[in-house]
Amino acid sequence: GDEVVFSVKQNYRKLRKKTPRTFDFTTMYTKLPQDALIAGVQETIDEAFEYVEGEHDTARLVRKAREQGKKTHTFTKSEYNAKASKELKFYDREQVKAMVRDIVKNTIIEVGGKILQQTKGRPMGGNASPDLANLYCYNVEKHYINQLQTGKKKKKKK
């Protein structure tokens, strides 16, 4: 509160020609295009599996740090499997991607006694909605940051 007011007063000359912007997240879930949501989340799933399988840059950095005797807060797939309970069920990459597709494409709601299939976005109260939106936004932000770093725009898939 007070820190923001103080900062605005301190930086008034720099800020006076700027237009303040606010964003309303109350409609974010319901406005996400389903096909883009599925594609973005599935790309993030691929990245996660590549990391676990050791094909991702971060996994290589973790291995290198360990070789140098440094402690890390991540663990390899074999370490995870060794620690995991036998009661856990593991899914492969394609199974997880299929589940995402099914969750997004098969959201059924009842409105006024009518059964409807949601064809745009995710329901605000849906259990998976926050996680799917976060994974999608991560993917969009990753591409945006990469574009800033390389100066190249990602070509959209048709």
Side-chain angles (χ1 to χ4, degrees):
D2 292 337
E3 298 89 17
V4 173
V5 173
F6 179 74
S7 179
V8 169
K9 287 180 180 179
Q10 289 286 339
N11 296 295
Y12 174 74
R13 288 188 186 268
K14 286 193 272 185
L15 295 173
R16 69 183 174 149
K17 293 183 182 180
K18 304 282 183 191
T19 303
R21 295 185 178 135
T22 61
F23 298 94
D24 181 7
F25 287 99
T26 59
T27 59
M28 181 176 95
Y29 299 161
T30 58
K31 301 285 184 189
L32 291 173
Q34 286 188 346
D35 290 336
L37 172 64
I38 292 167
V41 171
Q42 287 182 341
E43 185 178 324
T44 302
I45 290 166
D46 284 334
E47 185 178 328
F49 272 88
E50 288 168 9
Y51 173 79
V52 170
E53 293 163 359
E55 300 169 16
H56 191 269
D57 290 340
T58 308
R60 284 191 283 276
L61 292 173
V62 168
R63 280 197 308 276
K64 186 175 180 180
R66 286 183 173 181
E67 288 167 5
Q68 295 171 352
K70 297 177 183 175
K71 290 186 178 182
T72 63
H73 295 288
T74 57
F75 41 84
T76 66
K77 186 176 183 179
S78 59
E79 290 170 332
Y80 181 79
N81 289 340
K83 293 178 183 181
S85 164
K86 292 180 182 178
E87 296 174 10
L88 293 178
K89 175 148 177 60
F90 290 91
Y91 297 95
D92 67 33
R93 180 189 308 223
E94 294 309 314
Q95 288 173 314
V96 175
K97 289 165 72 171
M99 284 186 253
V100 167
R101 187 175 40 259
D102 289 346
I103 289 168
V104 172
K105 290 292 189 182
N106 295 304
T107 300
I108 309 298
I109 56 175
E110 181 182 353
V111 178
K114 293 182 179 180
I115 305 294
L116 305 169
Q117 182 175 12
Q118 186 160 344
T119 58
K120 184 176 184 183
R122 299 288 311 135
M124 285 297 291
N127 292 340
S129 297
D131 295 325
L132 290 171
N134 285 336
L135 290 169
Y136 174 74
C137 288
Y138 158 79
N139 187 269
V140 170
E141 183 177 349
K142 176 186 72 173
H143 286 292
Y144 177 73
I145 297 298
N146 288 343
Q147 177 186 335
L148 289 176
Q149 291 175 333
T150 63
K152 296 177 184 176
K153 287 189 177 184
K154 179 186 174 195
K155 292 181 182 179
K156 291 187 178 182
K157 297 177 183 175
K158 291 186 179 184

